[in-house]
Amino acid sequence: MIDFTKINYLKNGNERQKRAYEVLTRYQIFEKLKNYSPILAGTIPIEIDIEESDLDIICEVDLNFEENFLEELSFKKIIPVETEVTVENIMIENEKAIVMNFRLEEFSIEIFGQNRPVTKQNAYLHMIAEYKILQEKGENFKQKIIKLKKQGIKTEPAFGILLNLENPYEDLLKMI
């Protein structure tokens, strides 16, 4: 099992993973976010990404002090000054969350903050469940997921289609 809580595994991955590692380390993203226990989640870590896939970085953020988080991101210059950034405050399962999007080199990056330990956030839990399924089902299944994603189907619904899940977002959480 890969330790997804650190990004070192990317160094030995496919070309896109190696490139993601280079960009994330060059800009010291994880070092600058260390107070928020960052984890790279999503499709790139488990090799089911497509060309449009972004780097999803999840963080544990006390949203009562959201301004501190945003100031710290600015202060530590996580994002180069000339970079266009969007910030949204959203609700997920009746919990506040903050989403920041920007580009670094060829990657779209999304930093997601929620007042929940990162290993308890759905993005991480879905990725772990999907990784286990991919390990069990093999390369043919993985290619079917990628094909569905290229057709515009999001990751969890793609797993839902192939596994006949009624509610893939909830059902995947039961498979951990």
Side-chain angles (χ1 to χ4, degrees), residues 87-125:
V87 178
E88 278 184 277
N89 290 298
I90 60 173
M91 295 293 285
I92 296 187
E93 297 175 357
N94 297 318
E95 283 186 52
K96 286 175 26 176
I98 188 167
V99 181
M100 178 182 292
N101 289 285
F102 57 96
R103 283 191 76 77
L104 283 180
E105 300 188 24
E106 73 268 28
F107 290 102
S108 289
I109 298 184
E110 179 174 285
I111 297 177
F112 176 89
Q114 190 175 36
N115 192 8
R116 182 188 289 193
V118 286
T119 57
K120 303 281 188 226
Q121 292 184 23
N122 285 349
Y124 178 78
L125 296 172

Side-chain angles (χ1 to χ4, degrees), residues 1-175:
M1 176 81 175
I2 294 171
D3 179 2
F4 290 107
T5 63
K6 298 173 180 59
I7 62 169
N8 295 342
Y9 67 91
L10 296 171
K11 288 191 284 191
N12 303 314
N14 64 30
E15 290 309 309
R16 189 119 190 260
Q17 288 175 323
K18 289 175 186 174
R19 184 70 185 120
Y21 181 80
E22 287 174 24
V23 171
L24 292 170
T25 53
R26 178 180 307 123
Y27 290 93
Q28 301 177 319
I29 300 295
F30 280 72
E31 292 83 6
K32 292 174 181 175
L33 287 171
K34 71 178 178 211
N35 294 340
Y36 304 100
S37 309
I39 291 179
L40 182 64
T43 59
I44 291 174
I46 59 175
E47 297 183 79
I48 55 170
D49 54 298
I50 59 175
E51 195 174 313
E52 304 83 46
S53 296
D54 58 6
L55 295 173
D56 296 311
I57 302 169
I58 58 173
C59 297
E60 181 178 359
V61 178
D62 183 344
L63 291 172
N64 293 320
F65 300 100
E66 165 190 331
E67 295 79 21
N68 295 0
F69 176 63
L70 292 172
E71 282 176 30
E72 191 166 333
L73 294 185
S74 299
F75 175 72
K76 289 190 173 183
K77 304 219 181 330
I78 286 181
I79 305 154
V81 176
E82 67 281 355
T83 306
E84 186 177 321
V85 179
T86 61
V87 178
E88 278 184 277
N89 290 298
I90 60 173
M91 295 293 285
I92 296 187
E93 297 175 357
N94 297 318
E95 283 186 52
K96 286 175 26 176
I98 188 167
V99 181
M100 178 182 292
N101 289 285
F102 57 96
R103 283 191 76 77
L104 283 180
E105 300 188 24
E106 73 268 28
F107 290 102
S108 289
I109 298 184
E110 179 174 285
I111 297 177
F112 176 89
Q114 190 175 36
N115 192 8
R116 182 188 289 193
V118 286
T119 57
K120 303 281 188 226
Q121 292 184 23
N122 285 349
Y124 178 78
L125 296 172
H126 284 155
M127 180 180 72
I128 295 301
E130 293 158 2
Y131 176 74
K132 288 179 178 178
I133 293 164
L134 291 167
Q135 297 302 298
E136 289 171 18
K137 301 279 188 187
E139 188 62 29
N140 187 40
F141 182 86
K142 180 181 185 177
Q143 292 308 317
K144 287 179 182 177
I145 292 288
I146 292 170
K147 183 178 180 186
L148 288 171
K149 289 182 60 55
K150 286 181 177 176
Q151 294 170 7
I153 297 171
K154 295 223 172 258
T155 305
E156 287 78 3
F159 275 85
I161 289 168
L162 295 181
L163 298 172
N164 296 313
L165 302 177
E166 215 171 286
N167 184 336
Y169 291 97
E170 289 179 22
D171 295 342
L172 282 168
L173 295 175
K174 297 172 189 170
M175 296 181 169

